[in-house]
Amino acid sequence: MDTQQDNPQDNQRDAQPSDARPVLEGPDIARVLTRIAHEIVERAKGADDVVLLGIPTRGVFLAQRLAAKLEQITEREIPVGSLDITMYRDDLRMHPPRALARTDIPGDGIDGRLVVLVDDVLFSGRTIRAALDALNDIGRPRAVQLAVLVDRGHRELPIRADYVGKNLPTSLRETVKVQLAEEDGRDTVLLGAKRDR
């Protein structure tokens, strides 16, 4: 998740349930993931060399869902894994220590493959920069693309998504919270006012 301060916990604590409103619900999320899967197949000319890597936490669940949809379309297994970016973040010194997530690279690796990074929210771009650094230490893909559920704008780096579920214009006084059934018990994207700290 890409937040202004690059703290994955910001979106969880900033949205106040009393004022947050849903902008995507479960059926909407399923629909946009189906669309993204079709776009990946079209751009990759069949997705023969595609590897999906989710950025923990919710990006991993989205990558797994995308892989399932790609498998339905292509009738072949799509390698899917996770890419922990914790040690590549540029804000490590500014926040309390955080637990490392799991990096899980599919057995055939990523060299010469089309890697699609998957995340829930694209904001400043710093999370994706960290993911590119982490990827560089693992191998040399043929190309790297980015799929996100929500692009909320406010980029600080020249990074854009190749596949976007929903472009959601926001102010810096708002927060976007993605909830997925695997982690939160339901599928929804909430937009709310940022809590004063």
Side-chain angles (χ1 to χ4, degrees), residues 112-147:
R113 310 291 293 269
L114 170 58
V115 172
V116 180
L117 296 173
V118 183
D119 204 5
D120 54 355
V121 179
L122 178 58
F123 188 13
S124 68
R126 293 183 181 275
T127 294
I128 304 308
R129 183 213 50 84
L132 292 171
D133 287 347
L135 204 56
N136 190 52
D137 281 352
I138 292 167
R140 192 173 193 276
R142 173 177 66 79
V144 180
Q145 296 178 347
L146 174 62

PDB file of all heavy atoms in Angstrom, residues 112-147:
ATOM      1  N   GLY A 112      13.926 -12.792 -17.221  1.00  0.00           N
ATOM      2  CA  GLY A 112      13.364 -12.862 -18.557  1.00  0.00           C
ATOM      3  C   GLY A 112      11.852 -12.915 -18.611  1.00  0.00           C
ATOM      4  O   GLY A 112      11.275 -13.081 -19.686  1.00  0.00           O
ATOM      5  N   ARG A 113      11.190 -12.773 -17.473  1.00  0.00           N
ATOM      6  CA  ARG A 113       9.728 -12.856 -17.417  1.00  0.00           C
ATOM      7  C   ARG A 113       9.124 -11.456 -17.348  1.00  0.00           C
ATOM      8  O   ARG A 113       9.803 -10.470 -17.034  1.00  0.00           O
ATOM      9  CB  ARG A 113       9.277 -13.633 -16.169  1.00  0.00           C
ATOM     10  CG  ARG A 113       9.939 -14.966 -15.952  1.00  0.00           C
ATOM     11  CD  ARG A 113       9.564 -16.027 -16.966  1.00  0.00           C
ATOM     12  NE  ARG A 113       8.189 -16.448 -16.882  1.00  0.00           N
ATOM     13  CZ  ARG A 113       7.747 -17.452 -16.146  1.00  0.00           C
ATOM     14  NH1 ARG A 113       8.594 -18.157 -15.402  1.00  0.00           N
ATOM     15  NH2 ARG A 113       6.480 -17.786 -16.150  1.00  0.00           N
ATOM     16  N   LEU A 114       7.837 -11.364 -17.622  1.00  0.00           N
ATOM     17  CA  LEU A 114       7.080 -10.131 -17.419  1.00  0.00           C
ATOM     18  C   LEU A 114       6.511 -10.184 -16.010  1.00  0.00           C
ATOM     19  O   LEU A 114       5.632 -10.992 -15.714  1.00  0.00           O
ATOM     20  CB  LEU A 114       5.944 -10.008 -18.441  1.00  0.00           C
ATOM     21  CG  LEU A 114       4.930  -8.888 -18.191  1.00  0.00           C
ATOM     22  CD1 LEU A 114       5.599  -7.525 -18.138  1.00  0.00           C
ATOM     23  CD2 LEU A 114       3.842  -8.906 -19.247  1.00  0.00           C
ATOM     24  N   VAL A 115       7.040  -9.353 -15.130  1.00  0.00           N
ATOM     25  CA  VAL A 115       6.584  -9.314 -13.745  1.00  0.00           C
ATOM     26  C   VAL A 115       5.529  -8.216 -13.603  1.00  0.00           C
ATOM     27  O   VAL A 115       5.769  -7.065 -13.971  1.00  0.00           O
ATOM     28  CB  VAL A 115       7.749  -9.047 -12.774  1.00  0.00           C
ATOM     29  CG1 VAL A 115       7.234  -8.812 -11.354  1.00  0.00           C
ATOM     30  CG2 VAL A 115       8.725 -10.217 -12.793  1.00  0.00           C
ATOM     31  N   VAL A 116       4.381  -8.594 -13.084  1.00  0.00           N
ATOM     32  CA  VAL A 116       3.336  -7.619 -12.772  1.00  0.00           C
ATOM     33  C   VAL A 116       3.284  -7.481 -11.256  1.00  0.00           C
ATOM     34  O   VAL A 116       2.921  -8.429 -10.549  1.00  0.00           O
ATOM     35  CB  VAL A 116       1.960  -8.035 -13.325  1.00  0.00           C
ATOM     36  CG1 VAL A 116       0.906  -6.985 -12.961  1.00  0.00           C
ATOM     37  CG2 VAL A 116       2.020  -8.223 -14.836  1.00  0.00           C
ATOM     38  N   LEU A 117       3.712  -6.316 -10.762  1.00  0.00           N
ATOM     39  CA  LEU A 117       3.592  -6.012  -9.340  1.00  0.00           C
ATOM     40  C   LEU A 117       2.136  -5.672  -9.057  1.00  0.00           C
ATOM     41  O   LEU A 117       1.494  -4.963  -9.845  1.00  0.00           O
ATOM     42  CB  LEU A 117       4.480  -4.835  -8.959  1.00  0.00           C
ATOM     43  CG  LEU A 117       5.986  -5.039  -9.101  1.00  0.00           C
ATOM     44  CD1 LEU A 117       6.736  -3.728  -8.861  1.00  0.00           C
ATOM     45  CD2 LEU A 117       6.479  -6.110  -8.140  1.00  0.00           C
ATOM     46  N   VAL A 118       1.616  -6.143  -7.931  1.00  0.00           N
ATOM     47  CA  VAL A 118       0.211  -5.920  -7.592  1.00  0.00           C
ATOM     48  C   VAL A 118       0.144  -5.297  -6.210  1.00  0.00           C
ATOM     49  O   VAL A 118       0.728  -5.807  -5.254  1.00  0.00           O
ATOM     50  CB  VAL A 118      -0.590  -7.241  -7.620  1.00  0.00           C
ATOM     51  CG1 VAL A 118      -2.068  -6.976  -7.338  1.00  0.00           C
ATOM     52  CG2 VAL A 118      -0.418  -7.960  -8.959  1.00  0.00           C
ATOM     53  N   ASP A 119      -0.579  -4.175  -6.107  1.00  0.00           N
ATOM     54  CA  ASP A 119      -0.770  -3.512  -4.818  1.00  0.00           C
ATOM     55  C   ASP A 119      -2.207  -3.021  -4.724  1.00  0.00           C
ATOM     56  O   ASP A 119      -2.918  -2.954  -5.731  1.00  0.00           O
ATOM     57  CB  ASP A 119       0.225  -2.353  -4.658  1.00  0.00           C
ATOM     58  CG  ASP A 119       0.494  -2.004  -3.192  1.00  0.00           C
ATOM     59  OD1 ASP A 119      -0.004  -2.717  -2.296  1.00  0.00           O
ATOM     60  OD2 ASP A 119       1.208  -1.021  -2.945  1.00  0.00           O
ATOM     61  N   ASP A 120      -2.609  -2.651  -3.508  1.00  0.00           N
ATOM     62  CA  ASP A 120      -3.992  -2.215  -3.343  1.00  0.00           C
ATOM     63  C   ASP A 120      -4.185  -0.739  -3.677  1.00  0.00           C
ATOM     64  O   ASP A 120      -5.092  -0.376  -4.417  1.00  0.00           O
ATOM     65  CB  ASP A 120      -4.526  -2.550  -1.948  1.00  0.00           C
ATOM     66  CG  ASP A 120      -3.672  -2.014  -0.810  1.00  0.00           C
ATOM     67  OD1 ASP A 120      -2.585  -1.436  -1.069  1.00  0.00           O
ATOM     68  OD2 ASP A 120      -4.075  -2.176   0.356  1.00  0.00           O
ATOM     69  N   VAL A 121      -3.318   0.138  -3.145  1.00  0.00           N
ATOM     70  CA  VAL A 121      -3.479   1.579  -3.360  1.00  0.00           C
ATOM     71  C   VAL A 121      -2.170   2.180  -3.852  1.00  0.00           C
ATOM     72  O   VAL A 121      -1.117   1.927  -3.275  1.00  0.00           O
ATOM     73  CB  VAL A 121      -3.909   2.303  -2.056  1.00  0.00           C
ATOM     74  CG1 VAL A 121      -4.042   3.800  -2.288  1.00  0.00           C
ATOM     75  CG2 VAL A 121      -5.228   1.738  -1.537  1.00  0.00           C
ATOM     76  N   LEU A 122      -2.254   2.966  -4.917  1.00  0.00           N
ATOM     77  CA  LEU A 122      -1.106   3.735  -5.398  1.00  0.00           C
ATOM     78  C   LEU A 122      -1.303   5.174  -4.975  1.00  0.00           C
ATOM     79  O   LEU A 122      -2.324   5.780  -5.280  1.00  0.00           O
ATOM     80  CB  LEU A 122      -0.995   3.624  -6.923  1.00  0.00           C
ATOM     81  CG  LEU A 122       0.135   4.416  -7.586  1.00  0.00           C
ATOM     82  CD1 LEU A 122       1.502   4.011  -7.040  1.00  0.00           C
ATOM     83  CD2 LEU A 122       0.086   4.232  -9.094  1.00  0.00           C
ATOM     84  N   PHE A 123      -0.309   5.711  -4.263  1.00  0.00           N
ATOM     85  CA  PHE A 123      -0.407   7.067  -3.725  1.00  0.00           C
ATOM     86  C   PHE A 123       0.842   7.837  -4.130  1.00  0.00           C
ATOM     87  O   PHE A 123       0.961   8.311  -5.253  1.00  0.00           O
ATOM     88  CB  PHE A 123      -0.600   6.975  -2.216  1.00  0.00           C
ATOM     89  CG  PHE A 123      -0.908   8.269  -1.504  1.00  0.00           C
ATOM     90  CD1 PHE A 123      -1.281   9.429  -2.174  1.00  0.00           C
ATOM     91  CD2 PHE A 123      -0.821   8.329  -0.125  1.00  0.00           C
ATOM     92  CE1 PHE A 123      -1.566  10.609  -1.500  1.00  0.00           C
ATOM     93  CE2 PHE A 123      -1.104   9.493   0.565  1.00  0.00           C
ATOM     94  CZ  PHE A 123      -1.468  10.625  -0.126  1.00  0.00           C
ATOM     95  N   SER A 124       1.835   7.922  -3.258  1.00  0.00           N
ATOM     96  CA  SER A 124       3.029   8.724  -3.536  1.00  0.00           C
ATOM     97  C   SER A 124       3.946   8.077  -4.577  1.00  0.00           C
ATOM     98  O   SER A 124       4.690   8.760  -5.264  1.00  0.00           O
ATOM     99  CB  SER A 124       3.822   8.952  -2.248  1.00  0.00           C
ATOM    100  OG  SER A 124       4.379   7.733  -1.788  1.00  0.00           O
ATOM    101  N   GLY A 125       3.917   6.770  -4.670  1.00  0.00           N
ATOM    102  CA  GLY A 125       4.822   6.044  -5.567  1.00  0.00           C
ATOM    103  C   GLY A 125       6.031   5.474  -4.855  1.00  0.00           C
ATOM    104  O   GLY A 125       6.802   4.710  -5.432  1.00  0.00           O
ATOM    105  N   ARG A 126       6.208   5.813  -3.586  1.00  0.00           N
ATOM    106  CA  ARG A 126       7.407   5.382  -2.864  1.00  0.00           C
ATOM    107  C   ARG A 126       7.402   3.876  -2.571  1.00  0.00           C
ATOM    108  O   ARG A 126       8.455   3.236  -2.567  1.00  0.00           O
ATOM    109  CB  ARG A 126       7.573   6.192  -1.593  1.00  0.00           C
ATOM    110  CG  ARG A 126       7.875   7.649  -1.892  1.00  0.00           C
ATOM    111  CD  ARG A 126       8.109   8.481  -0.632  1.00  0.00           C
ATOM    112  NE  ARG A 126       8.376   9.860  -0.998  1.00  0.00           N
ATOM    113  CZ  ARG A 126       9.577  10.326  -1.338  1.00  0.00           C
ATOM    114  NH1 ARG A 126      10.611   9.507  -1.360  1.00  0.00           N
ATOM    115  NH2 ARG A 126       9.740  11.583  -1.665  1.00  0.00           N
ATOM    116  N   THR A 127       6.248   3.310  -2.331  1.00  0.00           N
ATOM    117  CA  THR A 127       6.171   1.860  -2.119  1.00  0.00           C
ATOM    118  C   THR A 127       6.607   1.124  -3.373  1.00  0.00           C
ATOM    119  O   THR A 127       7.340   0.132  -3.315  1.00  0.00           O
ATOM    120  CB  THR A 127       4.738   1.452  -1.713  1.00  0.00           C
ATOM    121  OG1 THR A 127       4.452   2.010  -0.424  1.00  0.00           O
ATOM    122  CG2 THR A 127       4.578  -0.054  -1.670  1.00  0.00           C
ATOM    123  N   ILE A 128       6.187   1.606  -4.531  1.00  0.00           N
ATOM    124  CA  ILE A 128       6.545   0.943  -5.789  1.00  0.00           C
ATOM    125  C   ILE A 128       8.028   1.131  -6.081  1.00  0.00           C
ATOM    126  O   ILE A 128       8.690   0.206  -6.579  1.00  0.00           O
ATOM    127  CB  ILE A 128       5.676   1.468  -6.943  1.00  0.00           C
ATOM    128  CG1 ILE A 128       4.191   1.277  -6.605  1.00  0.00           C
ATOM    129  CG2 ILE A 128       6.032   0.766  -8.252  1.00  0.00           C
ATOM    130  CD1 ILE A 128       3.805  -0.129  -6.178  1.00  0.00           C
ATOM    131  N   ARG A 129       8.588   2.287  -5.755  1.00  0.00           N
ATOM    132  CA  ARG A 129      10.034   2.476  -5.915  1.00  0.00           C
ATOM    133  C   ARG A 129      10.783   1.445  -5.071  1.00  0.00           C
ATOM    134  O   ARG A 129      11.749   0.819  -5.521  1.00  0.00           O
ATOM    135  CB  ARG A 129      10.457   3.891  -5.511  1.00  0.00           C
ATOM    136  CG  ARG A 129      11.955   4.130  -5.735  1.00  0.00           C
ATOM    137  CD  ARG A 129      12.577   5.071  -4.722  1.00  0.00           C
ATOM    138  NE  ARG A 129      12.298   4.757  -3.349  1.00  0.00           N
ATOM    139  CZ  ARG A 129      12.964   3.869  -2.610  1.00  0.00           C
ATOM    140  NH1 ARG A 129      13.946   3.155  -3.121  1.00  0.00           N
ATOM    141  NH2 ARG A 129      12.630   3.662  -1.365  1.00  0.00           N
ATOM    142  N   ALA A 130      10.325   1.240  -3.842  1.00  0.00           N
ATOM    143  CA  ALA A 130      10.954   0.245  -2.973  1.00  0.00           C
ATOM    144  C   ALA A 130      10.803  -1.161  -3.566  1.00  0.00           C
ATOM    145  O   ALA A 130      11.729  -1.975  -3.512  1.00  0.00           O
ATOM    146  CB  ALA A 130      10.339   0.304  -1.577  1.00  0.00           C
ATOM    147  N   ALA A 131       9.644  -1.442  -4.153  1.00  0.00           N
ATOM    148  CA  ALA A 131       9.415  -2.752  -4.764  1.00  0.00           C
ATOM    149  C   ALA A 131      10.355  -2.976  -5.948  1.00  0.00           C
ATOM    150  O   ALA A 131      10.881  -4.078  -6.141  1.00  0.00           O
ATOM    151  CB  ALA A 131       7.959  -2.878  -5.205  1.00  0.00           C
ATOM    152  N   LEU A 132      10.590  -1.937  -6.733  1.00  0.00           N
ATOM    153  CA  LEU A 132      11.517  -2.061  -7.867  1.00  0.00           C
ATOM    154  C   LEU A 132      12.936  -2.329  -7.379  1.00  0.00           C
ATOM    155  O   LEU A 132      13.670  -3.133  -7.975  1.00  0.00           O
ATOM    156  CB  LEU A 132      11.466  -0.794  -8.724  1.00  0.00           C
ATOM    157  CG  LEU A 132      10.150  -0.573  -9.484  1.00  0.00           C
ATOM    158  CD1 LEU A 132      10.129   0.817 -10.111  1.00  0.00           C
ATOM    159  CD2 LEU A 132       9.945  -1.655 -10.529  1.00  0.00           C
ATOM    160  N   ASP A 133      13.326  -1.682  -6.280  1.00  0.00           N
ATOM    161  CA  ASP A 133      14.650  -1.940  -5.704  1.00  0.00           C
ATOM    162  C   ASP A 133      14.754  -3.392  -5.219  1.00  0.00           C
ATOM    163  O   ASP A 133      15.762  -4.065  -5.440  1.00  0.00           O
ATOM    164  CB  ASP A 133      14.936  -0.983  -4.554  1.00  0.00           C
ATOM    165  CG  ASP A 133      15.218   0.437  -5.020  1.00  0.00           C
ATOM    166  OD1 ASP A 133      15.434   0.632  -6.239  1.00  0.00           O
ATOM    167  OD2 ASP A 133      15.204   1.354  -4.174  1.00  0.00           O
ATOM    168  N   ALA A 134      13.700  -3.868  -4.542  1.00  0.00           N
ATOM    169  CA  ALA A 134      13.700  -5.241  -4.041  1.00  0.00           C
ATOM    170  C   ALA A 134      13.765  -6.228  -5.206  1.00  0.00           C
ATOM    171  O   ALA A 134      14.496  -7.224  -5.160  1.00  0.00           O
ATOM    172  CB  ALA A 134      12.450  -5.489  -3.198  1.00  0.00           C
ATOM    173  N   LEU A 135      13.016  -5.945  -6.258  1.00  0.00           N
ATOM    174  CA  LEU A 135      12.989  -6.810  -7.434  1.00  0.00           C
ATOM    175  C   LEU A 135      14.370  -6.898  -8.087  1.00  0.00           C
ATOM    176  O   LEU A 135      14.803  -7.963  -8.527  1.00  0.00           O
ATOM    177  CB  LEU A 135      11.968  -6.245  -8.417  1.00  0.00           C
ATOM    178  CG  LEU A 135      11.337  -7.181  -9.433  1.00  0.00           C
ATOM    179  CD1 LEU A 135      10.665  -8.356  -8.742  1.00  0.00           C
ATOM    180  CD2 LEU A 135      10.345  -6.410 -10.284  1.00  0.00           C
ATOM    181  N   ASN A 136      15.068  -5.779  -8.109  1.00  0.00           N
ATOM    182  CA  ASN A 136      16.405  -5.715  -8.707  1.00  0.00           C
ATOM    183  C   ASN A 136      17.383  -6.646  -8.006  1.00  0.00           C
ATOM    184  O   ASN A 136      18.311  -7.171  -8.627  1.00  0.00           O
ATOM    185  CB  ASN A 136      16.902  -4.265  -8.658  1.00  0.00           C
ATOM    186  CG  ASN A 136      18.156  -4.082  -9.474  1.00  0.00           C
ATOM    187  OD1 ASN A 136      18.219  -4.450 -10.628  1.00  0.00           O
ATOM    188  ND2 ASN A 136      19.176  -3.509  -8.852  1.00  0.00           N
ATOM    189  N   ASP A 137      17.188  -6.860  -6.712  1.00  0.00           N
ATOM    190  CA  ASP A 137      18.069  -7.762  -5.960  1.00  0.00           C
ATOM    191  C   ASP A 137      17.730  -9.233  -6.164  1.00  0.00           C
ATOM    192  O   ASP A 137      18.498 -10.109  -5.770  1.00  0.00           O
ATOM    193  CB  ASP A 137      18.004  -7.435  -4.462  1.00  0.00           C
ATOM    194  CG  ASP A 137      18.847  -6.219  -4.105  1.00  0.00           C
ATOM    195  OD1 ASP A 137      19.585  -5.734  -4.979  1.00  0.00           O
ATOM    196  OD2 ASP A 137      18.749  -5.754  -2.949  1.00  0.00           O
ATOM    197  N   ILE A 138      16.574  -9.503  -6.757  1.00  0.00           N
ATOM    198  CA  ILE A 138      16.116 -10.887  -6.916  1.00  0.00           C
ATOM    199  C   ILE A 138      16.435 -11.441  -8.297  1.00  0.00           C
ATOM    200  O   ILE A 138      16.757 -12.618  -8.451  1.00  0.00           O
ATOM    201  CB  ILE A 138      14.600 -10.976  -6.632  1.00  0.00           C
ATOM    202  CG1 ILE A 138      14.351 -10.696  -5.150  1.00  0.00           C
ATOM    203  CG2 ILE A 138      14.040 -12.332  -7.018  1.00  0.00           C
ATOM    204  CD1 ILE A 138      12.910 -10.463  -4.815  1.00  0.00           C
ATOM    205  N   GLY A 139      16.333 -10.592  -9.305  1.00  0.00           N
ATOM    206  CA  GLY A 139      16.568 -11.068 -10.661  1.00  0.00           C
ATOM    207  C   GLY A 139      16.392  -9.960 -11.676  1.00  0.00           C
ATOM    208  O   GLY A 139      16.271  -8.790 -11.318  1.00  0.00           O
ATOM    209  N   ARG A 140      16.366 -10.356 -12.943  1.00  0.00           N
ATOM    210  CA  ARG A 140      16.261  -9.371 -14.023  1.00  0.00           C
ATOM    211  C   ARG A 140      15.087  -9.736 -14.923  1.00  0.00           C
ATOM    212  O   ARG A 140      15.229 -10.521 -15.866  1.00  0.00           O
ATOM    213  CB  ARG A 140      17.558  -9.332 -14.831  1.00  0.00           C
ATOM    214  CG  ARG A 140      17.620  -8.150 -15.778  1.00  0.00           C
ATOM    215  CD  ARG A 140      18.991  -8.061 -16.422  1.00  0.00           C
ATOM    216  NE  ARG A 140      19.156  -6.772 -17.083  1.00  0.00           N
ATOM    217  CZ  ARG A 140      18.732  -6.500 -18.311  1.00  0.00           C
ATOM    218  NH1 ARG A 140      18.076  -7.417 -18.996  1.00  0.00           N
ATOM    219  NH2 ARG A 140      18.944  -5.311 -18.843  1.00  0.00           N
ATOM    220  N   PRO A 141      13.905  -9.166 -14.627  1.00  0.00           N
ATOM    221  CA  PRO A 141      12.749  -9.453 -15.469  1.00  0.00           C
ATOM    222  C   PRO A 141      12.906  -8.847 -16.858  1.00  0.00           C
ATOM    223  O   PRO A 141      13.664  -7.890 -17.054  1.00  0.00           O
ATOM    224  CB  PRO A 141      11.585  -8.781 -14.730  1.00  0.00           C
ATOM    225  CG  PRO A 141      12.138  -8.168 -13.503  1.00  0.00           C
ATOM    226  CD  PRO A 141      13.614  -8.272 -13.526  1.00  0.00           C
ATOM    227  N   ARG A 142      12.163  -9.394 -17.826  1.00  0.00           N
ATOM    228  CA  ARG A 142      12.116  -8.813 -19.166  1.00  0.00           C
ATOM    229  C   ARG A 142      11.474  -7.428 -19.105  1.00  0.00           C
ATOM    230  O   ARG A 142      11.902  -6.494 -19.776  1.00  0.00           O
ATOM    231  CB  ARG A 142      11.302  -9.731 -20.087  1.00  0.00           C
ATOM    232  CG  ARG A 142      11.033  -9.158 -21.463  1.00  0.00           C
ATOM    233  CD  ARG A 142      10.291 -10.140 -22.343  1.00  0.00           C
ATOM    234  NE  ARG A 142       8.943 -10.447 -21.913  1.00  0.00           N
ATOM    235  CZ  ARG A 142       7.885  -9.639 -22.122  1.00  0.00           C
ATOM    236  NH1 ARG A 142       8.036  -8.478 -22.706  1.00  0.00           N
ATOM    237  NH2 ARG A 142       6.689 -10.012 -21.730  1.00  0.00           N
ATOM    238  N   ALA A 143      10.438  -7.297 -18.298  1.00  0.00           N
ATOM    239  CA  ALA A 143       9.735  -6.028 -18.115  1.00  0.00           C
ATOM    240  C   ALA A 143       8.987  -6.099 -16.791  1.00  0.00           C
ATOM    241  O   ALA A 143       8.715  -7.185 -16.268  1.00  0.00           O
ATOM    242  CB  ALA A 143       8.762  -5.766 -19.261  1.00  0.00           C
ATOM    243  N   VAL A 144       8.664  -4.927 -16.240  1.00  0.00           N
ATOM    244  CA  VAL A 144       7.893  -4.845 -15.004  1.00  0.00           C
ATOM    245  C   VAL A 144       6.698  -3.938 -15.258  1.00  0.00           C
ATOM    246  O   VAL A 144       6.844  -2.837 -15.800  1.00  0.00           O
ATOM    247  CB  VAL A 144       8.735  -4.278 -13.830  1.00  0.00           C
ATOM    248  CG1 VAL A 144       7.904  -4.194 -12.555  1.00  0.00           C
ATOM    249  CG2 VAL A 144       9.979  -5.120 -13.607  1.00  0.00           C
ATOM    250  N   GLN A 145       5.531  -4.418 -14.870  1.00  0.00           N
ATOM    251  CA  GLN A 145       4.309  -3.620 -14.950  1.00  0.00           C
ATOM    252  C   GLN A 145       3.682  -3.541 -13.574  1.00  0.00           C
ATOM    253  O   GLN A 145       4.059  -4.293 -12.668  1.00  0.00           O
ATOM    254  CB  GLN A 145       3.329  -4.225 -15.962  1.00  0.00           C
ATOM    255  CG  GLN A 145       3.857  -4.212 -17.383  1.00  0.00           C
ATOM    256  CD  GLN A 145       2.899  -4.859 -18.374  1.00  0.00           C
ATOM    257  OE1 GLN A 145       1.941  -5.539 -17.993  1.00  0.00           O
ATOM    258  NE2 GLN A 145       3.166  -4.674 -19.654  1.00  0.00           N
ATOM    259  N   LEU A 146       2.722  -2.630 -13.424  1.00  0.00           N
ATOM    260  CA  LEU A 146       2.085  -2.393 -12.124  1.00  0.00           C
ATOM    261  C   LEU A 146       0.579  -2.443 -12.266  1.00  0.00           C
ATOM    262  O   LEU A 146       0.006  -1.780 -13.138  1.00  0.00           O
ATOM    263  CB  LEU A 146       2.519  -1.030 -11.572  1.00  0.00           C
ATOM    264  CG  LEU A 146       1.830  -0.552 -10.286  1.00  0.00           C
ATOM    265  CD1 LEU A 146       2.119  -1.508  -9.125  1.00  0.00           C
ATOM    266  CD2 LEU A 146       2.293   0.868  -9.944  1.00  0.00           C
ATOM    267  N   ALA A 147      -0.055  -3.241 -11.403  1.00  0.00           N
ATOM    268  CA  ALA A 147      -1.517  -3.298 -11.323  1.00  0.00           C
ATOM    269  C   ALA A 147      -1.936  -2.885  -9.918  1.00  0.00           C
ATOM    270  O   ALA A 147      -1.396  -3.395  -8.930  1.00  0.00           O
ATOM    271  CB  ALA A 147      -2.013  -4.710 -11.623  1.00  0.00           C
TER     272      ALA A 147
END
